[in-house]
Amino acid sequence: WEEMTEYLESGPTFSGGRYGMARELMQRKLHFLAPFSLGEVAHIVQLAITQRKIIVYHRKALKSVKHALAAPKADGATAAAAKEGPDGEQIK
């Protein structure tokens, strides 16, 4: 788990859900996952999400909790612009 956590905190993101993440991890030929089958890696991904809580869904992708929490937030100007009507007046 230590090597898996360290790898995920380096920043990769994965699309395709749990199975897609497992497939991509297998394609990357990571030494710490070498002894496992695709099904076992899919189960490891599931455990990382539900039990270990080191991976989360964030903006339609799976990524480490650390990177999901560090994702940039929408700035105030963008949020304010979204609340304006077509003529620039504030929508309440």
Side-chain angles (χ1 to χ4, degrees):
W1 284 108
E2 192 173 303
E3 288 178 295
M4 176 79 157
T5 302
E6 187 177 311
Y7 176 75
L8 293 170
E9 287 180 351
S10 70
T13 61
F14 303 89
S15 58
R18 294 179 286 247
Y19 180 73
M21 180 176 177
R23 277 190 12 221
E24 196 167 332
L25 288 169
M26 292 295 287
Q27 289 172 350
R28 293 180 185 196
K29 300 192 184 305
L30 302 168
H31 73 279
F32 55 88
L33 295 177
F36 302 106
S37 69
L38 177 58
E40 290 170 323
V41 173
H43 185 68
I44 289 168
V45 170
Q46 174 68 25
L47 293 174
I49 295 168
T50 60
Q51 302 294 316
R52 298 288 182 139
K53 301 190 185 316
I54 57 174
I55 305 170
V56 293
Y57 282 98
H58 183 253
R59 296 183 181 161
K60 298 183 181 181
L62 283 166
K63 59 179 72 174
S64 74
V65 171
K66 178 182 175 180
H67 278 34
L69 293 174
K73 307 274 189 272
D75 65 348
T78 305
K83 293 181 183 179
E84 292 180 0
D87 58 357
E89 69 182 71
Q90 286 290 91
I91 298 174
K92 297 181 182 175

